[in-house]
Amino acid sequence: MSDTNLVYAYAVLRRTPEAAAATARLRGVAGEPIHLVEPAVTGPQLAFAVGHVPPADYADAPLQAHLDDLDWLESTVRSHHAVVAALVASGAAVLPLRLATVYRDVNGARQALDTRRGYFLNLLDRLTGHVELGVKLYAAPDITPPDAAPESAQDPVTGLGVGRAYQVIRRRRQRRNEEAWRTVALAAARVTETAGALAVDRVAHTPERGSLAGSAPGTNVGNDAYLVPAGRVDAFRTGILAAAQGVPGLRVEITGPWAPYSFALQPEPHEETAA
């Protein structure tokens, strides 16, 4: 391993024999073996799960160029997540780090662990035994956000010219859409309230629009992450689906369980990599 390689940190975890054994079987974003790096100061056993990666890809300038390469980015995200998921599967309490958290060397990584020891330990205590579940709420494709105030009364159609009749029909359809949208919005609020009662924390992400929404049909009206006790995952799913059941035009998508990405605040590298 070249001394010029950078240190890519995947997660913070407690140093246990089980975590060390799980880490030893993993490979990272550059196909590199993963190992644990401990802080320089003695105390409660924290560690980074790290790999050594080439500066040609992970120093600042080439990394910024790579982030515009969607194929490279997708492969890196998958590899990063695979390391974190394997650590979670080993039973370790894990704080996943942001993509491409890179230190110049092992000493820089150790110094970061020392500097934020108390923060990491408190967060690990809070997240131990919990997972993240995602809840996305969609309005059916034929229900769209209202673009005008609703009409207050039904307009007669008979006796009107074709142009006027068309306008009346259009307003009626608009009113029906607005009523359907209100129904979906109220149901979405009820689902969110139910989820909040079953979880211990919530992060409200921005609803996905355009290309970010992918191929999912309809309008994304809710895109939240919930921190849920591991033993309550089935009850959470059941409660959410029950809250949405029977609501026309509302679709619920529940994902996970995941490592608690949305609840592990990401530390900035203590030492920036060389350009």
Side-chain angles (χ1 to χ4, degrees):
M1 183 68 64
S2 170
D3 291 339
T4 62
N5 280 340
L6 304 173
V7 175
Y8 185 116
Y10 295 85
V12 183
L13 66 164
R14 288 190 176 89
R15 176 83 163 80
T16 66
E18 294 77 15
T23 304
R25 297 190 293 268
L26 302 178
R27 293 293 183 271
V29 295
E32 83 283 7
I34 307 301
H35 64 280
L36 298 182
V37 166
E38 299 179 36
V41 177
T42 58
Q45 290 299 296
L46 282 176
F48 274 145
V50 307
H52 293 268
V53 296
D57 286 322
Y58 290 93
D60 288 345
L63 179 59
Q64 289 303 312
H66 278 315
L67 294 179
D68 292 327
D69 181 342
L70 294 183
D71 291 336
W72 185 93
L73 184 60
E74 181 178 3
S75 174
T76 302
V77 168
R78 289 181 183 277
S79 297
H80 180 104
H81 175 66
V83 171
V84 174
L87 293 173
V88 172
S90 76
V94 174
L95 304 183
L97 299 177
R98 71 167 191 256
L99 188 72
T101 298
V102 179
Y103 297 91
R104 189 184 301 275
D105 52 30
V106 170
N107 286 336
R110 285 176 172 154
Q111 190 170 1
L113 280 171
D114 286 334
T115 300
R116 308 198 74 185
R117 176 190 298 274
Y119 167 80
F120 286 142
L121 287 171
N122 288 337
L123 197 50
L124 279 169
D125 286 341
R126 177 173 179 262
L127 298 183
T128 295
H130 295 76
V131 296
E132 177 174 329
L133 291 170
V135 177
K136 293 183 180 181
L137 305 175
Y138 295 90
D142 58 341
I143 301 175
T144 57
D147 57 4
E151 299 290 333
S152 60
Q154 288 285 348
D155 297 309
V157 175
T158 57
L160 298 178
V162 172
R164 176 63 177 159
Y166 175 78
Q167 292 176 3
V168 171
I169 292 170
R170 186 172 181 271
R171 281 198 295 269
R172 288 185 182 179
R173 287 175 175 168
Q174 181 179 336
R175 283 194 293 268
R176 284 197 295 268
N177 175 74
E178 289 164 347
E179 290 167 2
W181 183 266
R182 284 194 293 272
T183 298
V184 166
L186 288 172
R190 185 168 65 249
V191 170
T192 300
E193 182 179 1
T194 300
L198 293 168
V200 299
D201 202 356
R202 169 190 176 223
V203 171
H205 296 300
T206 303
E208 296 174 340
R209 296 288 186 267
S211 60
L212 292 177
S215 60
T219 302
N220 184 205
V221 297
N223 180 24
D224 298 340
Y226 293 90
L227 187 65
V228 180
R232 202 184 295 169
V233 169
D234 289 343
F236 182 90
R237 291 181 185 276
T238 300
I240 297 305
L241 295 176
Q245 188 174 13
V247 179
L250 179 66
R251 183 171 63 85
V252 178
E253 180 182 299
I254 303 173
T255 60
W258 313 108
Y261 284 98
S262 298
F263 303 91
L265 298 181
Q266 307 307 323
E268 292 293 333
H270 181 79
E271 186 174 4
E272 295 298 328
T273 61

